[in-house]
Amino acid sequence: MKNVLEYLEHTVTHSAGKPAFIDGDGDVNFGQLYHKSRAIGTYLCSHGMRKQPIVVFMKKSTAMITAFLGVAYGGNFYVPLDAEMPAFRIQLILKTTAPPLIICDETTQELISLWGLDIETQLYTDLCQHHVSDEDLACVRLHTTDIDPLYVVFTSGSTGTPKGVVASHQSVIDYIENLSPVLKAGPDTVFGMQSPLYLDACLKEIFPTLKYGATTYIIPPSLFMFPVKLIEYLNMHGINTICWVASALGLVAGLGALEKAVPHTLRTIAFTSEVLPAKHFNKWRELVPDARFVHFYGPTEATGVATFYVADRFFDDGEAIPIGQPFSNTDIVLLDDNNATPAANQPGEICIRGACLSLGYYKDPIKTQAVFVQNPLSCFPDTIYKTGDIGYRDDNGVLYFISRRDHQIKHMGYRIELAEIEYIAARHQSIELACAVFDQDKSRIVLYYTTRSLVDMADIKAYLKATLPRYMMPYAIFALDTLPLTPGGKFDRVGLLNKYKEGR
Amino acid sequence: MCELLKILQEMHPEVDYATHQALVDEKVLDSFDIITLVAEINDRMDIAIPAEELIPENFNSYASLLALVEKLEEEQ
């Protein structure tokens, strides 16, 4: 197997009429998915677009997933953008990618015309009407290898510009083949998708659905505000498999929703992307005792997630749930400061090797070379990805996450560089210096800043709201006369965090 | 009860809470806001909003949220 589209091509032969993806507006079955994505693919390759970044800028929907596959059929790679991202960020990403085409829906096409960008746009609905050329699509496939990119997703960058992680068909196939048995996915799997479509997190549902002819419900994001309604939604649709960010599970448990309604159809409950407190995990396990719980860990650079742990016991308050063991065909190497393997229970940087590794950062060889490096333990060419996460193996070889080595945080499931928030804040004409800190206990980002000219705090807030994605928006901002520094001349983040926790 | 209005105004100073009737339906309040609201009402007013009251109807206007908070205050 060398192309992810083979999953769909196999499934459509036996399950064409079965719903593949369902959102609030309706569903798309495998037959429709196959036809529409091939129509889009034919349009792209017959208009000279091959191995190009094609931006898919749409509302979270079944149509957006269809467009991803269409881009792949045309021999290109998709760059997903969300209709709710701030305009400033979207334009930065468009500038970096320089796509020949943006696939839109009506709402996003209007936005783009307002910005006056000189990039061709096409409506998704129009592209689906294009004729299908078997010959053109076969020609594209003939010239595609499994190391060709499938997508570029953008993640927070510490220099203020988002980084585009490029993943190949090979790394996605490797991921799906080794993830699926852990999820126990099969034809009767019904996924309830929480993750946004502009991150690699959504691969977990999309590709096992295509592989097995399963079904994915795209859960309306607003339901995550109202947890009892969310559980009723899971029950109503017979959803049996969820892979959510830990904060979503934590929210449902923390607000007391499980005592009011039990999600009785769930068989597999996976959580990822940040630490799930033991008390919330225990509540889930107690109130949904028949489900299997799986903890996932892994960075976007290693395509989706890289390790898993089947959490089949209760945990003590404050006890960490392990990140477990790598997937089959993935290897985790721990490296200490001397590039040696630390002893059991001793910390080291978590490094990943295997076919799961992405190709690197789009148009950024310098950043790529900084973290995709030669394995110092190997005498042959052997690339590892240095995650920047610190972890250890216990006496039984089970992996645990300890912390980050830099100022990257996880907030509501999103990976955020605090430096990106600081960079954006400091772009405001009245802000001189800005330092962002994260209160882990309350899950709040707080920004301290100094000013060079008189400015109203409300103006700063409005500016940040307009330029930062919602999940990066500081919960509170404070103006100071000076920002405290450490003896080394860096921002005293610990001091500022304590200042905040003590009430300014 | 002006504490509640204060919390809301800190989150979205631009919104006219006296008249707005569709804070959730028109996406003025998003999931981050709802979580913040529940936490702030708990911290600053010592009122816990139970899960079954987390429904759009209770958050669509200042008046409905105020009614909820007053009801809970009496009960708790």
Side-chain angles (χ1 to χ4, degrees):
Chain A
M1 181 169 180
K2 67 182 179 104
N3 193 299
V4 294
L5 296 169
E6 292 168 44
Y7 287 136
L8 173 61
E9 287 156 4
H10 172 72
T11 294
V12 78
T13 61
H14 58 75
S15 298
K18 189 180 172 187
F21 299 102
I22 302 169
D23 64 20
D25 296 324
D27 63 48
V28 59
N29 66 36
F30 289 98
Q32 293 161 329
L33 198 58
Y34 181 68
H35 179 79
K36 289 179 179 178
S37 57
R38 282 163 35 95
I40 296 169
T42 303
Y43 174 88
L44 296 175
C45 64
S46 64
H47 285 72
M49 287 173 248
R50 295 278 280 275
K51 300 194 200 287
Q52 295 289 315
I54 305 295
V55 167
V56 179
F57 181 29
M58 298 171 72
K59 186 182 126 193
K60 186 179 185 185
S61 59
T62 62
M64 190 164 178
I65 296 171
T66 313
F68 293 169
L69 301 174
V71 171
Y73 263 110
N76 298 285
F77 47 100
Y78 62 89
V79 184
L81 296 181
D82 186 74
E84 293 187 2
M85 281 183 191
F88 174 76
R89 188 181 182 82
I90 289 174
Q91 293 179 32
L92 262 183
I93 293 173
L94 289 176
K95 207 174 140 199
T96 309
T97 39
L101 175 74
I102 305 176
I103 301 177
C104 301
D105 54 34
E106 264 110 11
T107 316
T108 57
Q109 194 176 43
E110 209 177 296
L111 277 176
I112 292 174
S113 68
L114 285 175
W115 299 335
L117 298 173
D118 189 25
I119 303 174
E120 183 191 345
T121 61
Q122 287 286 340
L123 277 178
Y124 164 80
T125 43
D126 291 345
L127 294 181
C128 289
Q129 304 297 319
H130 200 270
H131 76 273
V132 173
S133 163
D134 290 329
E135 199 184 332
D136 286 354
L137 295 175
C139 177
V140 166
R141 192 66 60 86
L142 195 64
H143 293 96
T144 307
T145 70
D146 66 355
I147 53 167
D148 278 315
L150 173 64
Y151 64 75
V152 181
V153 299
F154 279 84
T155 175
S156 183
S158 57
T159 54
T161 310
K163 289 184 293 201
V165 178
V166 190
S168 66
H169 286 264
Q170 183 196 39
S171 66
V172 174
I173 291 167
D174 181 73
Y175 176 41
I176 299 310
E177 290 303 303
N178 296 302
L179 165 80
S180 298
V182 175
L183 285 177
K184 299 201 171 168
D188 61 347
T189 295
V190 183
F191 285 108
M193 180 197 271
Q194 170 261 328
S195 55
L197 292 177
Y198 57 87
L199 299 175
D200 60 325
C202 65
L203 301 172
K204 291 192 294 301
E205 289 90 4
I206 293 178
F207 289 99
T209 296
L210 298 179
K211 175 179 162 77
Y212 293 105
T215 297
T216 292
Y217 281 85
I218 301 175
I219 303 174
S222 61
L223 280 181
F224 286 87
M225 295 190 241
F226 307 111
V228 174
K229 285 190 174 289
L230 174 65
I231 294 171
E232 288 166 358
Y233 176 94
L234 299 179
N235 289 339
M236 182 165 65
H237 297 296
I239 287 168
N240 55 35
T241 306
I242 56 173
C243 311
W244 291 354
V245 292
S247 52
L249 288 185
L251 184 78
V252 171
L255 292 172
L258 291 170
E259 282 90 346
K260 309 290 173 188
V262 173
H264 55 80
T265 56
L266 288 180
R267 289 191 318 228
T268 297
I269 301 174
F271 51 101
T272 179
S273 194
E274 60 212 313
V275 175
L276 179 63
K279 64 173 183 182
H280 291 153
F281 169 77
N282 288 343
K283 189 168 270 184
W284 272 93
R285 187 158 183 269
E286 180 195 332
L287 294 171
V288 195
D290 296 332
R292 234 173 114 249
F293 290 87
V294 188
H295 184 203
F296 286 134
Y297 158 85
T300 299
E301 284 83 345
T303 313
V305 294
T307 76
F308 69 99
Y309 175 80
V310 178
D312 54 1
R313 64 172 176 93
F314 290 106
F315 284 78
D316 292 337
D317 241 4
E319 186 184 358
I321 302 173
I323 57 173
Q325 65 185 88
F327 284 130
S328 176
N329 203 35
T330 293
D331 186 21
I332 300 285
V333 177
L334 294 181
L335 291 178
D336 66 17
D337 289 340
N338 301 315
N339 272 343
T341 306
N345 301 306
Q346 292 303 308
E349 181 170 6
I350 300 173
C351 302
I352 305 176
R353 57 190 290 271
C356 61
L357 289 195
S358 63
L359 299 169
Y361 302 117
Y362 191 66
K363 289 188 186 167
D364 201 335
I366 293 174
K367 273 191 194 144
T368 303
Q369 282 156 21
V371 288
F372 290 86
V373 301
Q374 167 68 27
N375 182 358
L377 305 178
S378 293
C379 58
F380 52 90
D382 180 19
T383 302
I384 55 171
Y385 168 67
K386 290 164 73 84
T387 62
D389 291 331
I390 306 296
Y392 71 93
R393 281 193 163 100
D394 69 11
D395 293 324
N396 300 314
V398 178
L399 282 161
Y400 289 78
F401 170 84
I402 305 174
S403 64
R404 283 294 299 175
R405 55 181 326 153
D406 55 18
H407 303 302
Q408 186 188 99
I409 61 159
K410 287 291 182 75
H411 176 44
M412 305 299 288
Y414 292 93
R415 166 175 155 179
I416 299 167
E417 299 285 354
L418 289 174
E420 184 172 350
I421 299 172
E422 293 162 0
Y423 174 85
I424 297 276
R427 283 175 52 96
H428 188 282
Q429 55 182 9
S430 299
I431 290 186
E432 189 177 19
L433 292 170
C435 179
V437 294
F438 184 57
D439 179 352
Q440 185 89 50
D441 302 336
K442 290 198 158 176
S443 189
R444 287 173 179 174
I445 299 168
V446 180
L447 183 80
Y448 287 92
Y449 63 94
T450 59
T451 56
R452 62 175 103 240
S453 56
L454 203 62
V455 61
D456 200 15
M457 193 177 276
D459 287 349
I460 304 282
K461 271 194 179 171
Y463 162 76
L464 292 174
K465 228 182 213 178
T467 43
L468 287 171
R470 182 64 176 93
Y471 52 85
M472 286 195 200
M473 183 69 192
Y475 170 81
I477 66 174
F478 301 101
L480 295 178
D481 291 336
T482 54
L483 287 179
L485 299 178
T486 62
K490 295 182 173 173
F491 292 138
D492 180 9
R493 291 171 192 276
V494 178
L496 282 173
L497 189 57
N498 288 336
K499 190 181 176 72
Y500 174 68
K501 286 183 173 176
E502 285 155 15
R504 301 188 188 203
Chain B
M1 201 49 66
C2 65
E3 187 68 16
L4 179 64
L5 192 57
K6 224 168 106 187
I7 295 172
L8 285 164
Q9 277 167 348
E10 279 170 23
M11 294 195 317
H12 294 283
E14 72 285 1
V15 175
D16 180 7
Y17 288 104
T19 57
H20 212 299
Q21 298 294 321
L23 295 170
V24 172
D25 298 342
E26 289 176 13
K27 296 186 179 175
V28 175
L29 298 180
D30 63 17
S31 54
F32 289 84
D33 292 324
I34 300 283
I35 296 163
T36 306
L37 253 177
V38 172
E40 292 286 290
I41 290 172
N42 196 15
D43 285 0
R44 286 158 63 170
M45 305 171 70
D46 202 24
I47 294 170
I49 299 182
E52 69 270 21
E53 298 289 3
L54 290 174
I55 48 174
E57 296 80 356
N58 281 338
F59 289 82
N60 258 330
S61 69
Y62 171 60
S64 57
L65 189 55
L66 183 63
L68 171 68
V69 166
E70 282 176 344
K71 185 186 88 173
L72 292 171
E73 197 171 33
E74 256 170 54
E75 288 171 8
Q76 287 173 6

